[in-house]
């Protein structure tokens, strides 16, 4: 039973409109192939591209031209050429990312993500798997289920892939043995069950010989099907399920061409929407009714998951980029604390407590991660104790955001449950993450509105609250100058409080040391205390080395615009070290004191401080006077 070759040329010649329409309406299956080159991955992909006869991949068009040229010499030659090309390309591109290849058959379009399989490329596999509907797990029939088979399956399952194909390859090299096939399938079935893979389809194949790829092979009379391509063409795509779920539409932008039109544009993540539907905008929770469902091609009577539309509302309610429009009676959750699973993708390890940008759909917030509860050994799936996550590590950790976000658990929605973390300084994507669930304490702790507001506190004190944040090396003069500034403010009848690094470490922060993570937590707590005091209407002065830009910026972000005044006490290291007020530099140089800023721990100088004082050029009094002048008026 040979499958008739798909010959688009004939259809194009006869009925180009019909061809284009059928092509447009075909649905798309995204899948990922897992396995190494040794397992025959390139050969299998080559076989799929070759047998489907339609190659749209730019890099392959030259190869295709070549294969047409040599076509008269028989199939094996151009097929081999194609495979060589794929393997060469994979070697060159191996560290870059994921190679996506496009091909089509009569029934479906396909995008296959071809990722390197070694453990050091876990992040590439995660990238490829994050958008895939199905995973083809490739096994060398001679070797059976390997550590990497388990790792790949685990990662794909973790990333939410629900359809698995176990392609037992190189069957020609085990004499098409049914026993061997059955043995491998039984072995894999046990493992799959243990990690929660509900179902998989096992197919005995030879990518090289082409057995059971497009047609049932005479070499495996014991196998009744399906063959690989048929399975890929017919496997259900979960689209119906996606449409049956309640409406979720993350707003990408507000479309306001003129005063009469205000629409909210985005791609429908799940559900359907039509004029007259009651919707709720989150996180605000306001409700309204949909008036129109607008597209470039005109208004729709109904739009479904996957479509990009612009909605207009019956009422003028607030709605902007990052909000989520949802079914009014089944809204998603809003929370700011979560348990998450993280895949770390950067050379710089996770720094617990540091602020990262978190992007989830169209929402963008600042987030901090707790030290991991555990990391997962991706080969054995054991849970390991971990203080951080290194490149390619996977771990479970609690995360909190500075503002509530609209979300759904990743298992329910990749769009509203999957996120990335971005380093605020380098702008690199450092992690891919999945929201597992929100923490109950976040749901049950509400902000208690009070009758006396921060404005009332400030008005009573007849001043504008501020946080004067002194930063600089140890011995640069932060405490001395802050003290002089506070004395001046006090003489001016201002209400102040000076938070000093050493003093805070005797009480509130006595549990913290001087590792990077502890320094970050130290500053976070001081920031929160300074914020409370500013809420109480005080002018707060803080004298902390606060060596990291990211944490100073984190405190800046906690406060209303203009209240955080960064004062860089700019004293050269040699000068501060020569002063050595507390004898700490000497200890650090001798090695008796570890992680000392300026010696064996970095200091990141402010780039744009509100005020800079140079203690080599200015006396303490001059510096204090300059600061007072800079912060006037005080009301
Ligand atoms: P920090 O709080 O930054 O660790 P300190 O204020 O404790 O630094 O120590 C700074 C030391 O430098 C003090 O002994 C102070 O008298 C001395 N010093 C000398 N000149 C200056 C100046 N122009 N500004 C600030 N401090 C100075």
């Amino acid at each position: 039973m040979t499958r008739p070759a798909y010959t688009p040329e004939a259809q194009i010649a006869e009925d180009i409109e019909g061809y284009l329409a059928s092509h447009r309406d075909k649905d798309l299956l995204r899948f990922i192939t897992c396995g190494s080159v040794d397992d025959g991955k390139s050969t299998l992909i080559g076989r799929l591209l070759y047998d489907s006869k339609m190659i749209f991949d730019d890099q392959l068009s030259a190869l295709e031209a070549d294969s047409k040229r040599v076509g008269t010499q028989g199939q094996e030659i151009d097929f081999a050429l194609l495979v060589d090309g794929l393997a060469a390309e994979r070697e060159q591109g191996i560290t870059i990312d994921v190679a996506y290849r496009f091909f089509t058959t009569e029934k479906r379009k396909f995008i296959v993500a071809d990722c390197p399989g070694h453990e050091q490329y876990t992040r590439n596999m995660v990238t490829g798997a994050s958008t895939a509907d199905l995973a083809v797990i490739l096994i060398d029939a001679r070797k059976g289920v390997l550590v990497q088979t388990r790792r790949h399956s685990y990662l794909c399952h973790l990333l939410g892939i629900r359809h698995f194909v176990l392609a037992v390859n190189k069957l020609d090299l085990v004499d098409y043995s049914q026993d061997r096939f059955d043995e491998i399938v039984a072995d894999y079935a046990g493992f799959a069950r243990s990690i929660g893979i509900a179902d998989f389809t096992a197919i005995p194949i030879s990518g090289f010989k082409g057995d059971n790829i497009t047609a049932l092979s005479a070499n495996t009379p014991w196998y009744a099907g399906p063959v690989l391509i048929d399975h890929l063409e017919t496997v259900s795509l979960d689209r119906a399920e996606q449409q049956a779920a309640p409406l979720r539409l993350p707003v990408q932008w507000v479309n306001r061409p003129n005063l009469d039109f205000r629409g909210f544009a985005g791609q429908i993540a799940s559900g359907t929407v039509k004029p007259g539907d009651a919707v709720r905008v989150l996180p605000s929770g306001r409700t309204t009714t949909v008036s129109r469902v607008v597209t470039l091609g005109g208004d729709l009577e109904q739009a479904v998951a996957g479509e990009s539309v612009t909605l207009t509302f019956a009422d003028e309610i607030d709605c902007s980029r990052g909000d989520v429009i949802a079914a009014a009676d089944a809204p998603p959750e809003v929370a700011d604390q979560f348990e998450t699973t993280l895949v770390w993708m950067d050379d710089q390890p996770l720094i617990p407590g540091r602020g990262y940008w978190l992007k989830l759909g169209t929402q963008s917030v600042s987030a901090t991660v707790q030290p991991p509860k555990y990391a997962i050994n991706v080969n054995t799936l054991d849970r390991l104790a971990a203080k951080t996550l290194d490149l390619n590590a996977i771990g479970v950790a609690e995360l909190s955001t500075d503002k509530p976000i609209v979300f759904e658990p990743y298992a329910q929605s990749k769009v509203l449950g999957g996120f990335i973390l971005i380093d605020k300084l380098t702008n690199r994507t450092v992690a891919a993450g999945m929201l597992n669930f929100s923490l109950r304490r976040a749901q049950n702790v509400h902000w208690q509105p009070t009758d006396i507001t921060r404005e009332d506190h400030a008005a009573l004190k007849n001043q504008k609250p501020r946080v004067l944040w002194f930063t600089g090396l140890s011995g640069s003069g932060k405490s001395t100058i802050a003290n002089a500034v506070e004395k001046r403010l006090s003489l001016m009848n201002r209400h102040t409080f000076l938070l000093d690094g050493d003093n805070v470490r005797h009480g509130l922060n006595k549990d913290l040391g001087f590792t990077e993570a502890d320094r970050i937590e130290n500053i976070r707590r001081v920031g929160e205390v300074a914020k409370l005091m500013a809420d109480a209407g005080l002018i707060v002065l803080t004298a902390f080395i606060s060596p990291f830009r990211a944490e100073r910026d984190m405190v800046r972000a906690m406060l209303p615009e203009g209240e955080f005044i960064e004062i860089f006490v700019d004293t050269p290291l040699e000068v501060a070290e020569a002063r050595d007020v507390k004898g700490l530099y000497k200890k650090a140089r001798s090695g008796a004191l570890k992680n000392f800023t300026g010696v064996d721990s970095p200091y990141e100088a402010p780039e744009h401080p509100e005020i800079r004082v140079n203690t080599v050029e200015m006396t303490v009094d001059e510096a204090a006077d300059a600061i007072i002048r800079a912060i006037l008026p005080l009301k």
Side-chain angles (χ1 to χ4, degrees):
M1 51 175 291
T2 351
R3 184 193 164 85
Y6 175 45
T7 52
E9 295 84 357
Q11 201 194 347
I12 291 169
E14 267 171 35
D15 174 18
I16 176 122
E17 288 302 324
Y19 167 75
L20 288 175
S22 70
H23 195 69
R24 204 170 38 237
D25 296 342
K26 269 193 261 183
D27 58 21
L28 171 71
L29 177 82
R30 287 170 161 271
F31 68 100
I32 178 172
T33 49
C34 303
S36 68
V37 179
D38 295 343
D39 297 330
K41 192 150 61 99
S42 295
T43 312
L44 177 68
I45 294 175
R47 177 60 69 186
L48 290 170
L49 297 180
Y50 178 79
D51 286 349
S52 73
K53 301 271 194 268
M54 289 272 297
I55 303 169
F56 283 91
D57 190 318
D58 280 346
Q59 289 115 320
L60 286 174
S61 52
L63 279 169
E64 199 195 15
D66 262 352
S67 57
K68 273 193 188 126
R69 199 154 33 76
V70 296
T72 49
Q73 293 169 26
Q75 182 166 315
E76 289 306 323
I77 298 172
D78 48 357
F79 172 59
L81 215 136
L82 183 59
V83 171
D84 283 354
L86 289 171
E89 193 189 306
R90 153 93 4 271
E91 256 158 49
Q92 286 157 15
I94 198 158
T95 53
I96 301 171
D97 204 355
V98 183
Y100 292 97
R101 308 185 191 287
F102 181 82
F103 68 97
T104 180
T105 65
E106 212 166 346
K107 299 208 181 101
R108 249 185 199 165
K109 295 183 277 195
F110 299 91
I111 293 176
V112 46
D114 179 8
C115 320
H118 295 298
E119 190 171 347
Q120 68 262 40
Y121 303 120
T122 295
R123 62 175 156 179
N124 308 53
M125 171 155 292
V126 165
T127 307
S130 64
T131 53
D133 304 300
L134 176 147
V136 175
I137 307 284
L138 211 60
I139 289 197
D140 182 331
R142 294 168 305 175
K143 298 182 189 153
V145 175
L146 301 176
V147 165
Q148 65 163 3
T149 316
R150 288 197 277 266
R151 171 158 43 87
H152 295 162
S153 303
Y154 170 73
L155 288 173
C156 288
H157 178 63
L158 183 71
L159 269 292
I161 294 179
R162 289 203 260 164
H163 301 287
F164 285 81
V165 171
L166 186 74
V168 182
N169 192 27
K170 301 197 184 178
L171 220 66
D172 48 323
L173 300 182
V174 294
D175 297 328
Y176 296 99
S177 156
Q178 180 181 8
D179 286 349
R180 182 62 184 145
F181 176 75
D182 289 345
E183 187 186 354
I184 291 171
V185 172
D187 194 9
Y188 186 77
F191 165 74
R193 240 191 334 269
S194 76
I195 63 166
I197 294 177
D199 198 14
F200 65 93
T201 302
I203 307 179
I205 64 165
S206 164
F208 184 66
K209 295 272 167 80
D211 298 290
N212 296 328
I213 304 287
T214 56
L216 271 181
S217 166
N219 296 318
T220 51
W222 43 267
Y223 179 71
V227 300
L228 183 58
I229 276 278
D230 283 351
H231 182 67
L232 295 178
E233 280 179 341
T234 53
V235 65
S236 111
L237 281 178
D238 308 330
R239 305 284 192 256
E241 216 172 289
Q242 227 175 11
Q243 286 180 15
L247 173 71
R248 307 286 182 249
L249 190 154
V251 177
Q252 245 149 22
W253 53 288
V254 180
N255 185 356
R256 177 130 229 204
N258 56 53
L259 287 177
D260 299 331
F261 187 92
R262 200 166 73 113
F264 307 97
Q267 187 180 23
I268 303 174
S270 67
T272 61
V273 63
K274 55 183 189 310
D277 279 355
V279 292
R280 189 181 295 267
V281 176
L282 296 152
S284 75
R286 291 200 179 79
T287 52
T288 182
T289 311
V290 174
S291 308
R292 294 171 58 193
V293 180
V294 185
T295 68
L296 279 181
D299 280 24
L300 299 181
E301 276 169 26
Q302 169 162 299
V304 301
E307 289 184 295
S308 292
V309 294
T310 296
L311 302 185
T312 66
F313 294 156
D315 310 283
E316 281 263 330
I317 64 167
D318 270 348
C319 180
S320 52
R321 177 180 166 82
D323 288 352
V324 175
I325 301 169
D329 56 354
E333 277 183 76
V334 177
D336 61 1
Q337 291 184 56
F338 308 91
E339 189 202 87
T340 64
T341 302
L342 294 172
V343 183
W344 203 255
M345 304 171 97
D346 198 48
D347 299 324
Q348 290 289 320
L350 160 73
I351 300 178
R354 164 154 294 180
Y356 295 97
W357 294 122
L358 178 150
K359 279 195 160 193
L360 183 151
T362 57
Q363 305 177 76
S364 193
V365 294
S366 182
T368 53
V369 183
Q370 295 291 308
K373 288 181 175 170
Y374 56 87
I376 295 157
N377 177 327
V378 284
N379 292 322
T380 60
L381 305 185
D382 289 337
R383 294 179 176 188
L384 314 168
K387 290 214 166 82
T388 180
L389 296 173
D390 294 317
L391 177 63
N392 287 322
I394 296 179
V396 170
E398 292 182 359
L399 173 149
S400 56
T401 55
D402 66 342
K403 279 188 296 204
I405 54 176
V406 186
F407 84 102
E408 284 184 298
Y410 187 82
Q412 238 164 289
S413 166
K414 287 188 183 183
V415 179
L416 286 179
F419 63 90
I420 56 170
L421 294 180
I422 297 170
D423 187 290
K424 290 185 174 179
L425 294 181
T426 63
N427 261 325
R428 282 203 301 265
T429 298
V430 294
M434 287 145 273
L435 297 174
N436 301 337
F437 50 82
S438 67
L439 300 175
R440 220 160 256 293
R441 61 173 180 262
Q443 292 162 10
N444 295 334
V445 181
H446 298 286
W447 191 259
Q448 190 64 42
T450 49
D451 289 335
I452 308 297
T453 63
R454 73 194 306 276
E455 287 74 25
D456 296 329
H457 287 298
L460 208 59
K461 296 188 176 62
N462 195 24
Q463 63 187 28
K464 184 172 167 344
R466 299 261 176 68
V467 174
L468 307 181
W469 190 276
F470 291 77
T471 172
L473 296 168
S474 172
S476 60
K478 300 179 296 296
S479 305
T480 310
I481 297 171
N483 196 46
V485 171
E486 188 180 30
K487 261 197 279 184
R488 281 165 173 70
L489 289 170
S490 182
L491 288 172
M492 296 160 86
N493 288 326
R494 300 300 148 190
H495 302 261
T496 60
F497 196 87
L498 173 58
L499 279 166
D500 185 89
D502 290 337
N503 299 351
V504 171
R505 280 186 177 275
H506 278 107
L508 176 66
N509 291 356
K510 68 176 164 198
D511 56 325
L512 300 176
F514 291 88
T515 60
E516 214 168 338
D518 279 2
R519 283 172 186 269
I520 291 169
E521 177 59 12
N522 183 42
I523 297 305
R524 188 192 70 79
R525 290 188 200 169
V526 171
E528 292 286 358
V529 172
K531 178 179 146 63
L532 287 176
M533 289 186 167
D535 283 349
L538 294 174
I539 298 175
V540 188
L541 303 93
T542 69
F544 295 82
I545 299 175
S546 45
F548 305 122
R549 235 169 258 149
E551 280 63 62
R552 296 191 302 261
D553 286 347
M554 169 173 81
V555 180
R556 181 186 290 275
M558 286 178 195
L559 289 157
E561 183 91 27
E563 278 189 21
F564 181 84
I565 316 260
E566 191 173 25
I567 303 174
F568 180 25
V569 183
D570 190 1
T571 303
L573 178 63
E574 310 80 68
V575 177
E577 184 162 2
R579 289 178 190 159
D580 209 2
V581 206
K582 299 162 202 149
L584 296 175
Y585 282 97
K586 205 172 291 144
K587 272 197 194 165
R589 293 287 178 199
S590 74
L593 182 61
K594 289 267 172 258
N595 296 328
F596 194 67
T597 303
V599 179
D600 56 355
S601 184
Y603 178 77
E604 298 170 359
E607 280 167 340
H608 307 288
E610 274 75 9
I611 303 172
R612 177 192 300 265
V613 292
N614 181 323
T615 68
V616 178
E617 289 162 9
M618 292 183 194
T619 65
V620 175
D621 284 336
E622 284 168 357
D625 288 340
I627 291 167
I628 294 288
R629 272 197 305 278
I631 60 171
L632 290 175
L634 297 171
K635 295 188 243 191

